[in-house]
Amino acid sequence: MTSSIKCVGVLGTGVIGSGWATLFAKEGMDVFLHDSRPELITKCRQQASSNLDFLFDQGLISTRVCDEAKTRLLPVSNLAELAAKSDYIQESIAEDYDIKKSCYRQLDDLAAASTPIGSSTSGLLMTEIQKVMKTPERAFIAHPFTPSHLVPLVELVPGRQTDPRVLEDAAVFFTSLGKVPVILKKEVPGHIANRLAAALWREAIHLAAEGVADVEDIDKALFAGPGLRWAIMGQHLTYHLGGGEGGYRHFIEIIGNSFEAYWRDMPTWTKIPADAREKIVAGVQKMVKDRTYDNLCAERDEKLISIIKTLYEEGADKGASSPS
Ligand SMILES: NC(=O)c1ccc[n+]([C@@H]2O[C@H](COP(=O)([O-])OP(=O)(O)OC[C@H]3O[C@@H](n4cnc5c(N)ncnc54)[C@H](O)[C@@H]3O)[C@@H](O)[C@H]2O)c1
């Protein structure tokens, strides 16, 4: 699946499809774009072009790469054309089993049996989706993080019928695009990163609902503290350092009890309480002030670029500390 991929089909050209289109075009591939709403293909091309201009402004790509990439954003009018022209298909349509299954059933017939198909799904299971396919072994999950043209992580998840070699090839392919792939050994709803985020989010909601701190301070306690370290190393390695010379085992022995007490004090609800919802939405509105969505995205992306340049640019040590 690796060096043989020259043409990629981006199916679903919303938020995530636009990020993928930017990445694939920047990396020199022809990108065939299809969406059930043609006006969103136009919007995706505009968004991807603007993303490429941003990468150029930030010194990450040359004028030539930027200009050539824009010529590789190619709309196609139907699924058959996308399937026929693509060496790999990245699906980013609506997060719904019925919609995805209907699409995979058609792709299965339209795309050559050797064409791998990766789904961007944030939380659905490939085992369920690939049930409708005659050649399910080429289907897997390739889950990105927003903005998907900038954030390195891509979670690769098999379904029960996925060929493990397809997943290994996908890891090589995404690595060649500058991504940091992680391969899950078995599927779980939400993969790894969204499950970790879900656990943290519940506690962030709870702290706001209980009035422990303002929403702004709860966010600050993350981005100015552990968030900085998480860009460098994950939870396990961080706590290994927390144990000093004795390492992770020592950390568990000396701090484990305290954490068990925190866990006993934490909520386990699975539905966001209505009053908590109002509190956190109001808290975020206060924090956002008059900044628009575009202002906030630009602010985030400029800072992200600085971090990515430091950690992931050529020469940076991706292996030792990568947040995978
Ligand atoms: N938004 C995120 O933060 C995020 C992050 C990672 C992964 N994802 C996943 O990516 C996928 C897309 O999410 P999104 O946020 O880009 O959604 P979106 O609504 O922005 O885009 C989805 C696009 O799919 C199109 N579409 C729907 N059904 C279609 C069909 N049958 N054929 C062709 N096009 C169709 C829609 O018109 C829309 O343009 C979902 O599976 C989601 O879970 C989202």
Side-chain angles (χ1 to χ4, degrees), residues 201-323:
W201 190 32
R202 179 163 55 196
E203 189 53 29
I205 295 170
H206 176 68
L207 291 171
E210 289 296 302
V212 173
D214 287 342
V215 166
E216 185 164 4
D217 279 337
I218 295 167
D219 268 15
K220 212 178 278 177
L222 275 182
F223 71 71
L228 271 182
R229 296 193 310 210
W230 284 333
I232 303 160
M233 55 180 71
Q235 199 63 55
H236 292 299
L237 194 55
T238 294
Y239 281 171
H240 172 70
L241 293 187
E245 292 295 329
Y248 206 11
R249 187 175 300 285
H250 185 58
F251 180 85
I252 294 166
E253 281 162 7
I254 55 165
I255 310 279
N257 283 347
S258 306
F259 274 72
E260 284 163 12
Y262 310 153
W263 286 323
R264 283 195 294 276
D265 191 51
M266 286 177 183
T268 54
W269 46 253
T270 53
K271 195 165 174 47
I272 301 175
D275 55 334
R277 182 187 300 229
E278 293 314 311
K279 256 191 174 165
I280 56 174
V281 171
V284 165
Q285 268 158 3
K286 195 170 152 209
M287 186 172 21
V288 166
K289 298 195 182 84
D290 55 357
R291 289 176 294 175
T292 64
Y293 172 78
D294 286 343
N295 291 155
L296 286 165
C297 287
E299 208 176 290
R300 174 198 64 190
D301 291 352
E302 270 175 32
K303 288 177 181 166
L304 257 179
I305 290 276
S306 307
I307 296 170
I308 288 166
K309 273 183 181 165
T310 303
L311 296 177
Y312 293 95
E313 281 265 89
E314 209 63 23
D317 183 0
K318 295 181 193 179
S321 56
S322 87

Side-chain angles (χ1 to χ4, degrees), residues 4 31-32 82 99 102 126 132 162 167 181 195 214 230 264 271 298 318:
S4 55
V31 185
F32 297 103
L82 176 129
I99 296 175
S102 155
M126 182 44 75
V132 300
T162 305
L167 222 56
R195 287 177 79 95
D214 287 342
W230 284 333
R264 283 195 294 276
K271 195 165 174 47
K318 295 181 193 179

